[in-house]
Amino acid sequence: MFRLTKTVLHRLHGRFNGHQQAWRLRSSSAREKALEYQPGQKIHGFTVREVAAVPDLCLTAVKLTHDKTGAQYLHAARDDSNNLFSVQLRTTPRDSTGVPHILEHTVLCGSEKYPCRDPFFKMLNRSLSTFMNAFTASDYTMYPFSTQNGKDFQNLLSVYLDAVFFPCLREQDFWQEGWRLENEDPTNPSSPLVFKGVVFNEMKGAFSDSEHLYAQHLQNKLYPDHTYSVVSGGEPLAIPDLTWEQLKQFHATHYHPSNARFFTYGDLPLENHLKQIQEEALCKFDRINPSTEVPSQPHWSSPREDHVTCSPDALAPDPIKQNTLCMSYLLGDITDAFEGFTLSLLSSLMVSGPNSPFYKSLIEPKIGSDFSSVVGYDGSTKEASFSIGLQGMAEQDTERVKQIINQTVDDIIENGFEDERIEALLHKIELQMKHQSTNFGLSLASYIASSWNHDGDPVELLRISDSVAKFRQALKENPHFLQDKVRYYFKENTHRLTLKMSPDEAYLEKQAKAEEEKLQEKISALTDSDRKEIYEKGLELLETQSKTQDASCLPALKVSDIQPTIPFTAVQMSTAAYVPVQYCEQPTNGLVYFRAMCSLNTLPEDLRVYVPLFCSIITKMGCGVLDYRQQAQQMEMRTGGMSVSTQVIPDSTQMDTFEQGVLLFSSCLERNLPHMFKLWSDIFNSPHFDNEERLRVLVMMGAQELANGISYSGHMYAMTRAGRHLTPAGELQETFGGMEQVKFLKRIAEMPDLSQVIRILPRIKKHLLNPENMRCAINATPQIMTDSATELEIFIKDVAENRKERKPVRANIIKKPLDPQDDLGPSRKLITEPNFQPCQMKTFFQMPFPVNFVSESIRAVPFCHQDYASLCILARMMTAKFLHGEIREKGGAYGGGARMGGGGVFSFYSYRDPNSVQTLSAFRKGVDWAKSGQFSQQDIDEAKLSVFSAVDAPVAPADKGTSRFLSGLTDEMKQSYREKLFAVDHKSLVEVAERYLGVGQSTCGVAILGPENDTIKKDPTWILK
């Protein structure tokens, strides 16, 4: 997977969001035990260099080096059962052929000890991993996995070590994963030659996304003198210049322990890891000098400007405003941890939220739709950068935006920042350190990766409260501390790039033409015997891809390794005044998590399409005596955030029954409970809707965000649309979160006058924020529960004036008790449509991408049905054993498969797919394969492992009890589903394939998002959008 660090690795505060431990009752043994190591101590070929307690993050850090190769090692001992391993290598390419990215894909295609094809994808089904992937960043490649099972950890470690250090790197794997020339139809030698390959198509998809394209150009042009000037993921037209020999050479020089950094995390013993890593890999190497360092970028003596083009966006909120302009500044070396901490804080003060100076000067005048796709501090390169600019702006505003940016910098130097804003940010950091999440190991690995890659000290990065204390001290000694930084890094900095991007109507055409020229250049050099060889190699590859592979060399867990029962989560059902409440006592580290579900049943149907907009603005317009800026400030100071989101919850027993509502969610430290509830009661009692200027800003940003998201989540939009007419819940899901919502918000963004919308919002509020139709849930520690209950009671009393009995809009309402033991107690009110008629529909959305997102969805059965478990296993097995080979390996798509959804809909999908209609026939072939029963017990067991690794994924204390609160799924229901999963066998899989997926049996919907398509245009059964 190619990761453009700018957009993916969020900044320091973003990265700690939601990342701490899965909690277990046990002594703090792993942390304490690790403190016993001594610097200088020798363990399995390693020497301990440093042992440090990091109380902020409840862990002990142990730093080691490998004696023979110099490999660096960091272990974070923490009482968390979700253990993680990662090895990262400094990969510094000097061209844009994508060699590190193609290598990352190819090493995972088989190794000395595990020579079968694609051990990586096979291990997904032979393990209970909670995470498995690989990332290529601009200057490193990382291979992380995590699991809660000790045996599994050893298995995965063995496969990962062998893949990274001893891969096969077969020429065939290079063709499949990287690029190849091949007949369009490999079985027909007279069909035209085309470029194929997984990475080739992945990068074509990535480069069709303007945000990604812009971030890539910005980095290449700000650092023009070394590795950051090239595309490490691969520029589509440069990829075909890479040879197999060059790939093997890059591996030999970069994938060496002397160029590696190992990281382990969790509660498993360090000695075992070291022993295995030494014996299976490191003992076979000597030290080399890898010479992969990245030199500092020479500083420019004067600022530079540049211009690039992109494809126009049909969904842009305003078609004539599609320019992006951004100024990017080169900052200091990221290995200075305190300077990095200071600059990332400074960046948040400058750009985050409606109180920040750049938000006020750039966003509020509505010159553009949102900040540029790259904004703020970026510490993913050896020297950090800061970027500020706008997207969705008009060509003629270019000079004005440049002036505003320079003026804003001057204003900051003049006025500094309010103390409250600095305190609010430090409060945010405190919350993020306390918040317990389930994938904390992975967050840590990503957080330290860049700095450690350039020999920064990872332990220093972990000591966050030391940086906070140092920061407070610096401010105390020099009140102008931050202004001085702004003057130095922004005002006086001559290494500044201004990059403009504008749409070019002919962009896609030019890209296609350039690709065609590249192709012709390759083809014109071919002799007849070359062509013959290409055809033969194409057939060989197809034959290899079609062979059933023997994966017996790979280690695997057994179904008997899975826990037979789930741990039950205790909840207490109660009421606050007349409102039902679920209390769940959890080790939340001093935080309180509040949820409230409010029903939509009384809302007039014509207003439903406005609900997502209502949710996104209700906490951002101001309330009570606070305007929107003061409200944002209070939320930052007093809470971990407050949000409202739409909920469509399909019933677990009946297909045509669902609950509709909005979910309120917030969290805070115990001391801020009264403040958090006061903010909510002001939102209930006196929200502000009348500021049209503010509403327009929020609408523009929302429309821009939805339009930008399609190239990342196209398969989700395709699946939502394909399921639209299959169930009543599907219809509402499309309204709230499908292409229908994208188009609706674009329409609102284009309205010259929003007064009609402003009149609608209070009508929606009256129906939604009604305590009569509300239930609440609180997760907190036992000590805080009493206070939380008291404050909740006060809140319910405060909002009593909004309580009103209103008639539901739909006649058919079913009540389900919130507590299964108490039929007469409070209930959830679900909508049912007993006479619902599902219908078939095929929809095509023409989009400005060169790749497709394809989906077919089939109406099946709800969660509690006997066949649901079999369909879940079948989806996983079809994906691993059939669809992956057809759609990714043969078809060249970045991904594809089948999934059984909670709403009782079985879906096929493909992601960034060069094919469209052909993929639909691959789905059908998958069904035939399943019905034929040509799969083994081993295949079924692997699918079970894969499903259980998702079912048993760790749940954070903040989220325990949530599925019961929202969907009424009790632990008993989950245990019953578990038993059904264990019981699935060969017979039941063939039966469900025939019963639900066969043509004639099923009601299905199809949707494709993709480029212009003549086949579909000529076919009258498609609806074109």
Side-chain angles (χ1 to χ4, degrees):
M1 178 218 274
F2 172 60
R3 185 175 241 206
L4 191 71
T5 23
K6 292 243 174 191
T7 42
V8 183
L9 288 182
H10 299 301
R11 291 156 207 105
L12 168 73
H13 329 310
R15 282 193 230 163
F16 265 89
N17 237 341
H19 301 308
Q20 273 177 349
Q21 78 205 54
W23 185 77
R24 304 158 113 177
L25 271 174
R26 56 149 73 177
S27 66
S28 54
S29 53
R31 259 172 88 183
E32 287 169 4
K33 218 172 149 225
L35 284 169
E36 294 165 13
Y37 292 115
Q38 296 297 322
Q41 188 178 343
K42 304 265 185 205
I43 318 169
H44 299 299
F46 288 84
T47 301
V48 177
R49 296 284 171 218
E50 182 187 351
V51 180
V54 184
D56 294 348
L57 305 177
C58 316
L59 59 85
T60 300
V62 184
K63 214 157 64 170
L64 310 96
T65 44
H66 186 248
D67 304 336
K68 195 171 155 201
T69 62
Q72 300 180 47
Y73 196 111
L74 178 68
H75 178 64
R78 193 162 187 265
D79 298 294
D80 181 349
S81 60
N82 195 14
N83 287 268
L84 174 121
F85 164 86
S86 141
V87 56
Q88 70 176 62
L89 304 126
R90 184 157 58 199
T91 46
T92 46
R94 301 306 307 276
D95 60 40
S96 294
T97 57
V99 58
H101 184 195
I102 292 170
L103 183 57
E104 170 230 308
H105 279 244
T106 317
V107 301
L108 298 173
C109 288
S111 60
E112 281 178 21
K113 207 193 295 182
Y114 306 112
C116 64
R117 285 186 57 251
D118 221 352
F120 176 77
F121 278 97
K122 295 200 173 45
M123 283 307 287
L124 286 171
N125 306 302
R126 300 168 76 89
S127 135
L128 288 170
S129 68
T130 51
F131 184 83
M132 267 181 81
N133 215 328
F135 307 118
T136 304
S138 309
D139 52 11
Y140 66 82
T141 306
M142 176 189 259
Y143 295 87
F145 71 75
S146 59
T147 176
Q148 303 178 85
N149 178 302
K151 176 83 184 77
D152 198 24
F153 192 96
Q154 291 176 346
N155 290 350
L156 288 167
L157 180 54
S158 184
V159 172
Y160 266 59
L161 287 172
D162 211 56
V164 168
F165 295 109
F166 312 106
C168 300
L169 300 182
R170 293 171 284 238
E171 189 171 22
Q172 250 190 0
D173 298 328
F174 168 59
W175 295 336
Q176 173 182 293
E177 296 297 321
W179 76 277
R180 64 186 182 277
L181 268 182
E182 191 175 270
N183 296 95
E184 195 162 23
D185 170 1
T187 59
N188 175 5
S190 54
S191 66
L193 290 174
V194 291
F195 286 133
K196 294 184 186 177
V198 173
V199 171
F200 180 75
N201 283 316
E202 180 190 347
M203 295 314 292
K204 263 176 77 170
F207 269 71
S208 68
D209 167 26
S210 302
E211 290 193 290
H212 178 105
L213 187 71
Y214 188 78
Q216 185 67 64
H217 279 303
L218 194 66
Q219 177 173 305
N220 295 160
K221 292 176 188 303
L222 185 67
Y223 304 90
D225 292 16
H226 200 264
T227 190
Y228 304 126
S229 65
V230 304
V231 183
S232 65
E235 206 275 308
L237 293 182
I239 289 173
D241 295 334
L242 182 67
T243 66
W244 179 43
E245 290 305 327
Q246 288 167 329
L247 182 86
K248 291 188 291 187
Q249 184 52 40
F250 194 87
H251 182 273
T253 51
H254 291 74
Y255 278 50
H256 189 285
S258 304
N259 191 40
R261 288 157 182 78
F262 293 89
F263 174 67
T264 48
Y265 162 89
D267 62 4
L268 290 172
L270 170 62
E271 285 91 337
N272 299 2
H273 303 335
L274 298 176
K275 182 171 193 283
Q276 190 176 348
I277 292 168
Q278 163 69 352
E279 288 173 3
E280 296 187 14
L282 300 194
C283 67
K284 299 166 188 169
F285 290 91
D286 292 313
R287 188 186 294 249
I288 62 164
N289 178 6
S291 312
T292 52
E293 296 82 10
V294 180
S296 294
Q297 165 64 43
H299 267 249
W300 303 338
S301 52
S302 59
R304 298 183 186 179
E305 297 211 1
D306 214 325
H307 174 244
V308 294
T309 58
C310 65
S311 166
D313 182 1
L315 291 166
D318 183 343
I320 53 166
K321 294 170 82 173
Q322 287 199 41
N323 288 269
T324 296
L325 176 99
C326 168
M327 284 192 186
S328 211
Y329 303 81
L330 185 71
L331 308 176
D333 196 303
I334 57 170
T335 57
D336 181 340
F338 179 63
E339 192 72 351
F341 176 83
T342 303
L343 288 168
S344 87
L345 257 183
L346 179 58
S347 163
S348 295
L349 289 167
M350 288 163 72
V351 301
S352 286
N355 290 296
S356 65
F358 276 114
Y359 191 101
K360 291 176 185 174
S361 67
L362 285 173
I363 299 291
E364 300 204 328
K366 295 183 282 297
I367 310 164
S369 57
D370 200 347
F371 284 131
S372 45
S373 61
V374 183
V375 65
Y377 178 80
D378 176 17
S380 65
T381 43
K382 183 175 190 287
E383 290 155 294
S385 65
F386 172 90
S387 305
I388 181 68
L390 281 176
Q391 59 179 316
M393 51 176 274
E395 177 86 37
Q396 68 261 27
D397 285 326
T398 304
E399 288 311 312
R400 182 181 167 201
V401 171
K402 290 186 205 167
Q403 277 169 334
I404 292 174
I405 293 174
N406 291 327
Q407 183 57 50
T408 308
V409 168
D410 288 343
D411 293 347
I412 295 171
I413 293 170
E414 173 89 11
N415 306 318
F417 302 100
E418 295 151 25
D419 292 346
E420 279 87 69
R421 293 202 55 231
I422 296 173
E423 280 310 315
L425 260 181
L426 295 173
H427 166 253
K428 197 170 171 183
I429 293 172
E430 178 186 4
L431 276 182
Q432 283 157 347
M433 288 194 297
K434 279 185 178 291
H435 178 78
Q436 316 273 323
S437 90
T438 55
N439 52 353
F440 188 60
L442 183 63
S443 317
L444 281 185
S446 308
Y447 172 58
I448 61 175
S450 287
S451 172
W452 196 19
N453 190 47
H454 299 290
D455 301 315
D457 178 1
V459 178
E460 195 187 346
L461 276 182
L462 301 179
R463 295 188 163 137
I464 295 167
S465 54
D466 290 4
S467 294
V468 172
K470 201 169 163 185
F471 179 78
R472 287 189 185 281
Q473 187 58 32
L475 266 182
K476 205 170 130 188
E477 287 169 10
N478 172 10
H480 290 101
F481 172 64
L482 290 171
Q483 285 134 286
D484 293 347
K485 294 279 177 212
V486 174
R487 180 180 288 110
Y488 177 75
Y489 283 111
F490 304 109
K491 178 85 174 155
E492 296 165 358
N493 189 350
T494 49
H495 198 111
R496 181 181 83 219
L497 172 71
T498 305
L499 182 65
K500 199 171 96 188
M501 179 166 75
S502 53
D504 173 1
E505 287 300 334
Y507 181 82
L508 283 177
E509 207 179 301
K510 287 177 187 168
Q511 291 292 95
K513 190 165 171 264
E515 186 183 325
E516 185 53 38
E517 282 168 6
K518 186 85 185 172
L519 183 64
Q520 290 313 324
E521 175 198 324
K522 294 274 178 201
I523 292 175
S524 61
L526 299 175
T527 63
D528 285 349
S529 67
D530 290 339
R531 283 172 183 269
K532 189 162 175 276
E533 192 186 354
I534 285 174
Y535 171 63
E536 283 162 3
K537 282 181 166 177
L539 285 180
E540 274 168 41
L541 181 60
L542 191 60
E543 189 192 349
T544 310
Q545 288 169 339
S546 307
K547 260 203 275 237
T548 310
Q549 303 148 36
D550 175 19
S552 57
C553 61
L554 287 170
L557 291 180
K558 298 187 197 59
V559 174
S560 57
D561 290 320
I562 300 168
Q563 294 292 328
T565 56
I566 55 165
F568 276 39
T569 300
V571 299
Q572 284 82 43
M573 303 304 291
S574 176
T575 53
Y578 48 88
V579 174
V581 187
Q582 170 185 297
Y583 293 105
C584 183
E585 294 185 348
Q586 289 291 326
T588 56
N589 212 356
L591 270 76
V592 180
Y593 296 91
F594 165 72
R595 289 178 173 84
M597 176 77 177
C598 302
S599 173
L600 276 174
N601 291 352
T602 66
L603 184 75
E605 306 263 317
D606 59 318
L607 298 184
R608 296 207 302 195
V609 69
Y610 287 91
V611 171
L613 174 63
F614 173 85
C615 290
S616 70
I617 64 108
I618 185 69
T619 56
K620 300 191 183 89
M621 296 277 290
C623 60
V625 296
L626 307 172
D627 66 24
Y628 67 90
R629 288 194 177 141
Q630 295 162 322
Q631 180 187 33
Q633 182 83 326
Q634 278 301 306
M635 285 183 183
E636 287 259 287
M637 288 288 284
R638 302 295 189 182
T639 77
M642 299 174 65
S643 64
V644 183
S645 57
T646 55
Q647 296 288 320
V648 181
I649 303 170
D651 182 50
S652 53
T653 55
Q654 290 161 304
M655 279 301 283
D656 298 323
T657 302
F658 66 97
E659 187 182 12
Q660 50 172 2
V662 297
L663 178 68
L664 282 48
F665 176 72
S666 64
S667 62
C668 68
L669 293 164
E670 180 183 8
R671 63 174 188 255
N672 287 321
L673 265 169
H675 302 285
M676 176 176 85
F677 280 120
K678 175 72 172 98
L679 282 164
W680 279 122
S681 42
D682 282 346
I683 287 171
F684 270 67
N685 294 335
S686 47
H688 301 182
F689 293 120
D690 42 8
N691 183 341
E692 188 175 341
E693 296 297 296
R694 174 66 177 155
L695 181 62
R696 182 165 299 284
V697 167
L698 295 172
V699 165
M700 289 293 282
M701 289 173 92
Q704 184 72 53
E705 200 174 313
L706 282 184
N708 290 347
I710 296 173
S711 69
Y712 287 103
S713 319
H715 60 310
M716 301 307 287
Y717 282 105
M719 281 191 276
T720 304
R721 172 57 71 134
R724 174 186 193 169
H725 296 294
L726 302 180
T727 62
E731 184 75 54
L732 190 56
Q733 279 157 336
E734 171 68 22
T735 303
F736 282 171
M739 290 300 289
E740 188 183 325
Q741 186 62 34
V742 177
K743 303 222 157 148
F744 168 75
L745 205 52
K746 172 175 160 62
R747 237 182 13 257
I748 300 286
E750 287 165 351
M751 290 162 93
D753 174 12
L754 290 176
S755 53
Q756 173 215 338
V757 180
I758 287 178
R759 285 195 296 278
I760 287 172
L761 294 171
R763 289 176 58 200
I764 297 179
K765 180 252 156 184
K766 194 171 66 182
H767 289 279
L768 264 55
L769 302 186
N770 177 358
E772 177 66 27
N773 303 324
M774 178 166 92
R775 62 178 183 272
C776 301
I778 287 185
N779 285 27
T781 54
Q783 303 86 313
I784 309 178
M785 223 30 123
T786 326
D787 284 357
S788 305
T790 311
E791 292 298 337
L792 181 60
E793 292 262 355
I794 295 170
F795 163 66
I796 302 295
K797 287 198 181 75
D798 278 351
V799 298
E801 65 190 60
N802 300 286
R803 184 185 182 189
K804 204 163 190 181
E805 275 208 42
R806 290 195 170 82
K807 262 186 70 135
V809 176
R810 304 256 177 126
N812 295 316
I813 300 278
I814 316 185
K815 291 185 172 185
K816 290 213 163 182
L818 285 171
D819 185 349
Q821 265 71 57
D822 177 11
D823 284 349
L824 301 170
S827 58
R828 306 164 58 214
K829 296 176 184 61
L830 286 77
I831 291 185
T832 183
E833 292 191 31
N835 305 320
F836 179 79
Q837 290 298 317
C839 68
Q840 314 251 21
M841 200 176 260
K842 288 160 50 176
T843 316
F844 177 75
F845 291 90
Q846 188 174 322
M847 303 297 284
F849 316 141
V851 286
N852 296 279
F853 299 93
V854 184
S855 174
E856 177 180 347
S857 293
I858 300 166
R859 184 179 158 99
V861 295
F863 180 80
C864 289
H865 191 284
Q866 197 52 45
D867 290 339
Y868 182 85
S870 303
L871 286 162
C872 288
I873 302 284
L874 183 65
R876 208 48 80 92
M877 187 173 71
M878 284 171 82
T879 301
K881 298 293 161 191
F882 187 86
L883 296 168
H884 175 79
E886 291 293 311
I887 297 171
R888 179 169 164 134
E889 293 183 348
K890 293 183 193 170
Y894 187 44
R899 61 166 68 164
M900 180 65 204
V905 172
F906 187 98
S907 300
F908 295 99
Y909 66 95
S910 72
Y911 185 76
R912 293 192 172 163
D913 188 346
N915 309 302
S916 55
V917 192
Q918 303 88 311
T919 299
L920 292 172
S921 57
F923 296 158
R924 283 289 117 213
K925 279 196 240 164
V927 174
D928 296 339
W929 173 84
K931 291 194 324 199
S932 73
Q934 294 173 338
F935 45 86
S936 64
Q937 187 56 44
Q938 171 75 18
D939 295 339
I940 300 171
D941 287 351
E942 288 183 7
K944 285 187 183 179
L945 278 168
S946 185
V947 169
F948 273 110
S949 73
V951 169
D952 291 340
V955 179
D959 303 324
K960 287 268 167 73
T962 307
S963 55
R964 174 176 172 148
F965 172 69
L966 289 176
S967 318
L969 285 185
T970 61
D971 287 337
E972 290 76 9
M973 288 157 83
K974 289 181 185 170
Q975 183 58 34
S976 155
Y977 168 54
R978 192 176 193 85
E979 283 153 20
K980 287 177 195 156
L981 285 173
F982 278 119
V984 170
D985 57 14
H986 194 282
K987 180 166 162 284
S988 64
L989 290 168
V990 175
E991 278 174 6
V992 294
E994 287 171 345
R995 190 173 305 148
Y996 302 106
L997 307 183
V999 180
Q1001 260 65 45
S1002 60
T1003 310
C1004 65
V1006 175
I1008 297 180
L1009 278 68
E1012 196 169 348
N1013 191 313
D1014 290 338
T1015 319
I1016 290 177
K1017 268 190 183 158
K1018 292 178 189 138
D1019 180 342
T1021 62
W1022 285 89
I1023 291 168
L1024 305 178
K1025 290 284 180 184

mmCIF file of all heavy atoms in Angstrom, residues 539-556:
data_model
loop_
_atom_site.group_PDB
_atom_site.id
_atom_site.type_symbol
_atom_site.label_atom_id
_atom_site.label_comp_id
_atom_site.label_asym_id
_atom_site.label_seq_id
_atom_site.Cartn_x
_atom_site.Cartn_y
_atom_site.Cartn_z
ATOM 1 N N LEU A 539 0.373 -16.136 -20.903
ATOM 2 C CA LEU A 539 -0.336 -17.409 -20.655
ATOM 3 C C LEU A 539 0.224 -18.105 -19.411
ATOM 4 O O LEU A 539 -0.528 -18.647 -18.603
ATOM 5 C CB LEU A 539 -0.213 -18.341 -21.870
ATOM 6 C CG LEU A 539 -1.081 -17.991 -23.083
ATOM 7 C CD1 LEU A 539 -0.847 -19.009 -24.200
ATOM 8 C CD2 LEU A 539 -2.572 -17.970 -22.718
ATOM 9 N N GLU A 540 1.565 -18.068 -19.279
ATOM 10 C CA GLU A 540 2.187 -18.689 -18.099
ATOM 11 C C GLU A 540 1.671 -18.043 -16.815
ATOM 12 O O GLU A 540 1.337 -18.721 -15.850
ATOM 13 C CB GLU A 540 3.715 -18.504 -18.133
ATOM 14 C CG GLU A 540 4.466 -19.550 -18.926
ATOM 15 C CD GLU A 540 5.927 -19.109 -19.135
ATOM 16 O OE1 GLU A 540 6.533 -18.571 -18.184
ATOM 17 O OE2 GLU A 540 6.441 -19.288 -20.261
ATOM 18 N N LEU A 541 1.641 -16.704 -16.833
ATOM 19 C CA LEU A 541 1.189 -15.983 -15.638
ATOM 20 C C LEU A 541 -0.259 -16.353 -15.323
ATOM 21 O O LEU A 541 -0.612 -16.651 -14.182
ATOM 22 C CB LEU A 541 1.313 -14.464 -15.845
ATOM 23 C CG LEU A 541 0.895 -13.580 -14.660
ATOM 24 C CD1 LEU A 541 1.732 -13.871 -13.418
ATOM 25 C CD2 LEU A 541 1.017 -12.097 -15.001
ATOM 26 N N LEU A 542 -1.101 -16.378 -16.375
ATOM 27 C CA LEU A 542 -2.508 -16.723 -16.194
ATOM 28 C C LEU A 542 -2.638 -18.132 -15.617
ATOM 29 O O LEU A 542 -3.445 -18.387 -14.711
ATOM 30 C CB LEU A 542 -3.230 -16.629 -17.545
ATOM 31 C CG LEU A 542 -4.756 -16.693 -17.505
ATOM 32 C CD1 LEU A 542 -5.321 -15.554 -16.678
ATOM 33 C CD2 LEU A 542 -5.327 -16.622 -18.917
ATOM 34 N N GLU A 543 -1.796 -19.032 -16.121
ATOM 35 C CA GLU A 543 -1.841 -20.419 -15.652
ATOM 36 C C GLU A 543 -1.433 -20.484 -14.167
ATOM 37 O O GLU A 543 -2.092 -21.129 -13.352
ATOM 38 C CB GLU A 543 -0.894 -21.277 -16.495
ATOM 39 C CG GLU A 543 -1.038 -22.767 -16.234
ATOM 40 C CD GLU A 543 0.106 -23.575 -16.849
ATOM 41 O OE1 GLU A 543 0.891 -23.009 -17.643
ATOM 42 O OE2 GLU A 543 0.210 -24.760 -16.504
ATOM 43 N N THR A 544 -0.351 -19.770 -13.832
ATOM 44 C CA THR A 544 0.089 -19.731 -12.424
ATOM 45 C C THR A 544 -1.018 -19.168 -11.536
ATOM 46 O O THR A 544 -1.304 -19.688 -10.465
ATOM 47 C CB THR A 544 1.346 -18.836 -12.277
ATOM 48 O OG1 THR A 544 2.301 -19.240 -13.244
ATOM 49 C CG2 THR A 544 1.938 -18.960 -10.892
ATOM 50 N N GLN A 545 -1.657 -18.081 -12.021
ATOM 51 C CA GLN A 545 -2.713 -17.438 -11.226
ATOM 52 C C GLN A 545 -3.917 -18.356 -11.061
ATOM 53 O O GLN A 545 -4.648 -18.259 -10.079
ATOM 54 C CB GLN A 545 -3.147 -16.129 -11.900
ATOM 55 C CG GLN A 545 -2.100 -15.029 -11.791
ATOM 56 C CD GLN A 545 -2.421 -13.842 -12.687
ATOM 57 O OE1 GLN A 545 -3.172 -13.953 -13.654
ATOM 58 N NE2 GLN A 545 -1.843 -12.685 -12.383
ATOM 59 N N SER A 546 -4.135 -19.244 -12.038
ATOM 60 C CA SER A 546 -5.333 -20.093 -11.990
ATOM 61 C C SER A 546 -5.096 -21.387 -11.228
ATOM 62 O O SER A 546 -6.036 -22.105 -10.910
ATOM 63 C CB SER A 546 -5.797 -20.420 -13.407
ATOM 64 O OG SER A 546 -5.945 -19.223 -14.146
ATOM 65 N N LYS A 547 -3.816 -21.711 -10.975
ATOM 66 C CA LYS A 547 -3.504 -22.963 -10.267
ATOM 67 C C LYS A 547 -3.920 -22.875 -8.815
ATOM 68 O O LYS A 547 -3.753 -21.839 -8.182
ATOM 69 C CB LYS A 547 -1.994 -23.221 -10.331
ATOM 70 C CG LYS A 547 -1.619 -24.249 -11.408
ATOM 71 C CD LYS A 547 -0.288 -24.906 -11.101
ATOM 72 C CE LYS A 547 0.836 -24.122 -11.579
ATOM 73 N NZ LYS A 547 1.866 -24.217 -12.350
ATOM 74 N N THR A 548 -4.441 -23.982 -8.291
ATOM 75 C CA THR A 548 -4.686 -24.034 -6.854
ATOM 76 C C THR A 548 -3.319 -24.166 -6.198
ATOM 77 O O THR A 548 -2.527 -25.028 -6.575
ATOM 78 C CB THR A 548 -5.550 -25.256 -6.490
ATOM 79 O OG1 THR A 548 -6.671 -25.240 -7.351
ATOM 80 C CG2 THR A 548 -6.008 -25.175 -5.049
ATOM 81 N N GLN A 549 -3.049 -23.275 -5.237
ATOM 82 C CA GLN A 549 -1.692 -23.274 -4.696
ATOM 83 C C GLN A 549 -1.613 -24.045 -3.400
ATOM 84 O O GLN A 549 -2.533 -24.041 -2.601
ATOM 85 C CB GLN A 549 -1.248 -21.840 -4.455
ATOM 86 C CG GLN A 549 -1.309 -21.009 -5.704
ATOM 87 C CD GLN A 549 -1.631 -19.585 -5.368
ATOM 88 O OE1 GLN A 549 -1.185 -19.083 -4.351
ATOM 89 N NE2 GLN A 549 -2.427 -18.930 -6.174
ATOM 90 N N ASP A 550 -0.452 -24.641 -3.190
ATOM 91 C CA ASP A 550 -0.228 -25.383 -1.959
ATOM 92 C C ASP A 550 0.362 -24.417 -0.925
ATOM 93 O O ASP A 550 1.477 -23.929 -1.089
ATOM 94 C CB ASP A 550 0.755 -26.527 -2.252
ATOM 95 C CG ASP A 550 1.127 -27.261 -0.969
ATOM 96 O OD1 ASP A 550 0.374 -27.114 0.015
ATOM 97 O OD2 ASP A 550 2.159 -27.949 -0.952
ATOM 98 N N ALA A 551 -0.404 -24.147 0.104
ATOM 99 C CA ALA A 551 0.072 -23.199 1.123
ATOM 100 C C ALA A 551 0.498 -23.935 2.389
ATOM 101 O O ALA A 551 0.655 -23.336 3.450
ATOM 102 C CB ALA A 551 -1.034 -22.203 1.440
ATOM 103 N N SER A 552 0.697 -25.266 2.266
ATOM 104 C CA SER A 552 0.934 -26.059 3.483
ATOM 105 C C SER A 552 2.241 -25.683 4.183
ATOM 106 O O SER A 552 2.437 -25.981 5.354
ATOM 107 C CB SER A 552 0.933 -27.551 3.142
ATOM 108 O OG SER A 552 1.926 -27.780 2.152
ATOM 109 N N CYS A 553 3.159 -24.993 3.440
ATOM 110 C CA CYS A 553 4.419 -24.606 4.093
ATOM 111 C C CYS A 553 4.207 -23.493 5.125
ATOM 112 O O CYS A 553 5.046 -23.266 5.991
ATOM 113 C CB CYS A 553 5.425 -24.142 3.042
ATOM 114 S SG CYS A 553 4.858 -22.699 2.112
ATOM 115 N N LEU A 554 3.081 -22.775 5.034
ATOM 116 C CA LEU A 554 2.854 -21.635 5.941
ATOM 117 C C LEU A 554 2.338 -22.100 7.296
ATOM 118 O O LEU A 554 1.533 -23.030 7.375
ATOM 119 C CB LEU A 554 1.813 -20.677 5.334
ATOM 120 C CG LEU A 554 2.270 -19.819 4.156
ATOM 121 C CD1 LEU A 554 1.069 -19.130 3.529
ATOM 122 C CD2 LEU A 554 3.284 -18.775 4.615
ATOM 123 N N PRO A 555 2.789 -21.427 8.369
ATOM 124 C CA PRO A 555 2.247 -21.769 9.685
ATOM 125 C C PRO A 555 0.786 -21.328 9.766
ATOM 126 O O PRO A 555 0.363 -20.429 9.041
ATOM 127 C CB PRO A 555 3.102 -20.939 10.652
ATOM 128 C CG PRO A 555 3.584 -19.780 9.844
ATOM 129 C CD PRO A 555 3.715 -20.275 8.431
ATOM 130 N N ALA A 556 0.000 -21.971 10.637
ATOM 131 C CA ALA A 556 -1.406 -21.566 10.768
ATOM 132 C C ALA A 556 -1.903 -21.888 12.166
ATOM 133 O O ALA A 556 -1.486 -22.871 12.776
ATOM 134 C CB ALA A 556 -2.259 -22.303 9.744
#
